[in-house]
Amino acid sequence: MFFQDVVFWVLAVVAIGAAVGVVVIRDLFRSALLLALVFVAVAGFFVMMSAEFLAVVQVLIYVGAISILFIFAVMLTSDVRRGNLPNRLQIPAVVLPALLLAAMVVTAVSTEWRLIPDSQQERAGLVQTQSVNILSDNALEQAGISSPEEMEQIQQSGIADLLISDFVLPFEMASVLLLAALIGALALARGREGT
Amino acid sequence: MSLESMLIVAAILFCIGLYGALARSNVIAVLMSIELMFNGVNLTFVALARYVAPQGIQDNIAVVLTGQVFAVFIITVAAAEIALGLGIVFAMYRSTETVNLTEAAQLRN
């Protein structure tokens, strides 16, 4: 547990420090690189919370694609010289997030969460890790899951199964959304001369 | 590490992103701040999925995955949003030679 706490605090400091850098530093190129660092730290949090699949997706999509897109955007627009200027809304822009942060912290601390009971904690973590089928039967047995029914239940519950059963409607809508975004981005980037 | 500390880190990330989205005048910086906010929300979803017991956990333990599925959808939408947003930024830069929001009043034409 001590090791987990150390990792958590290191990741938290890295994530928050880099996030402050993203919004404060004037050089946009540096803030794009710091943004990639925030994404990596968040991927670390995902691993700590037994969401390994999401951590991989985070590294592939955010670090690998979105950060690169941002760096391209920074390099292709020559406003970079002037950098990341603040606008005239400074006071409301500080007050509103500060109030929101206070409200969220109070909510997080004062709510009586119905936590997963300690006896089931480890099992819930295993189910979440196993959601992409990466653990062997031996690993599950060592974690104390021995009865065949339990084993089957855990083996058969995965993100993919949820996506095509309970969440099939949002899944299909996401595909339509991606297609629309693709066509829209092409139309926007192509400009007027082609039409 | 506990649910509360995780939620507080996520809330701090979200609020830093909100500050950046409100206070910066460069469109690319605003889009980066919006990505920070998305990451805060994703962290919240995954933390709640990891620690909070949903309805029906006794019958089927697979319900603990719901939060992760939500996070997958958010990542999808964020990727689409960034592709479109940067497309708009390039179109704006081509027609007005600036990516500064305070000078971009002509976007309404």
Side-chain angles (χ1 to χ4, degrees):
Chain A
M1 279 327 261
F2 173 73
F3 177 67
Q4 275 201 346
D5 283 338
V6 172
V7 175
F8 172 80
W9 287 112
V10 169
L11 284 177
V13 168
V14 169
I16 292 170
V20 170
V22 169
V23 295
V24 170
I25 287 180
R26 280 192 57 164
D27 184 355
L28 271 176
F29 189 76
R30 286 201 183 124
S31 38
L33 293 180
L34 281 175
L35 190 68
L37 186 60
V38 178
F39 293 155
V40 172
V42 171
F45 281 133
F46 285 163
V47 172
M48 292 189 73
M49 292 186 290
S50 54
E52 283 85 357
F53 173 67
L54 276 180
V56 173
V57 168
Q58 170 95 4
V59 171
L60 279 179
I61 294 184
Y62 275 105
V63 184
I66 291 183
S67 304
I68 303 299
L69 263 183
F70 273 123
I71 289 174
F72 267 117
V74 169
M75 291 195 295
L76 285 177
T77 54
S78 66
D79 263 11
V80 179
R81 281 171 286 112
R82 289 197 299 171
N84 193 358
L85 292 172
N87 61 15
R88 277 167 293 175
L89 277 173
Q90 284 305 305
I91 294 167
V94 174
V95 171
L96 185 67
L99 287 178
L100 193 62
L101 180 63
M104 287 198 282
V105 169
V106 168
T107 312
V109 173
S110 66
T111 308
E112 302 240 338
W113 300 104
R114 201 158 60 102
L115 295 178
I116 297 177
D118 282 343
S119 56
Q120 292 220 304
Q121 274 285 353
E122 201 182 346
R123 217 167 140 236
L126 267 180
V127 171
Q128 291 179 337
T129 300
Q130 184 61 14
S131 63
V132 279
N133 216 349
I134 51 178
L135 296 176
S136 66
D137 287 357
N138 279 339
L140 290 179
E141 261 167 42
Q142 276 172 9
I145 292 163
S146 47
S147 76
E149 299 91 54
E150 253 187 331
M151 191 96 86
E152 198 176 354
Q153 195 187 14
I154 287 183
Q155 295 285 14
Q156 283 183 349
S157 57
I159 286 184
D161 295 293
L162 273 180
L163 279 179
I164 56 170
S165 57
D166 289 1
F167 294 94
V168 67
L169 185 63
F171 181 65
E172 296 295 334
M173 278 164 64
S175 63
V176 176
L177 173 82
L178 280 179
L179 181 67
L182 191 74
I183 297 172
L186 272 177
L188 276 171
R190 193 156 153 252
R192 292 248 170 84
E193 63 267 50
T195 54
Chain B
M1 191 179 96
S2 66
L3 173 65
E4 284 84 4
S5 52
M6 206 65 236
L7 287 180
I8 289 171
V9 169
I12 292 174
L13 272 187
F14 184 88
C15 288
I16 293 172
L18 183 60
Y19 165 75
L22 290 177
R24 297 288 122 181
S25 60
N26 189 303
V27 185
I28 299 174
V30 171
L31 283 176
M32 286 185 199
S33 307
I34 291 173
E35 285 307 304
L36 283 181
M37 292 164 75
F38 273 123
N39 270 279
V41 174
N42 266 346
L43 265 186
T44 311
F45 267 124
V46 175
L48 288 177
R50 179 70 186 80
Y51 292 106
V52 177
Q55 291 284 335
I57 189 173
Q58 266 75 31
D59 308 326
N60 184 4
I61 191 117
V63 288
V64 294
L65 279 173
T66 310
Q68 292 196 15
V69 176
F70 271 62
V72 169
F73 284 128
I74 291 182
I75 291 178
T76 313
V77 174
E81 177 251 333
I82 267 338
L84 269 185
L86 289 178
I88 292 173
V89 170
F90 287 138
M92 174 181 162
Y93 183 71
R94 223 178 9 226
S95 64
T96 66
E97 293 289 308
T98 180
V99 287
N100 196 311
L101 277 176
T102 45
E103 297 166 10
Q106 62 268 52
L107 197 64
R108 66 174 73 106
N109 296 327

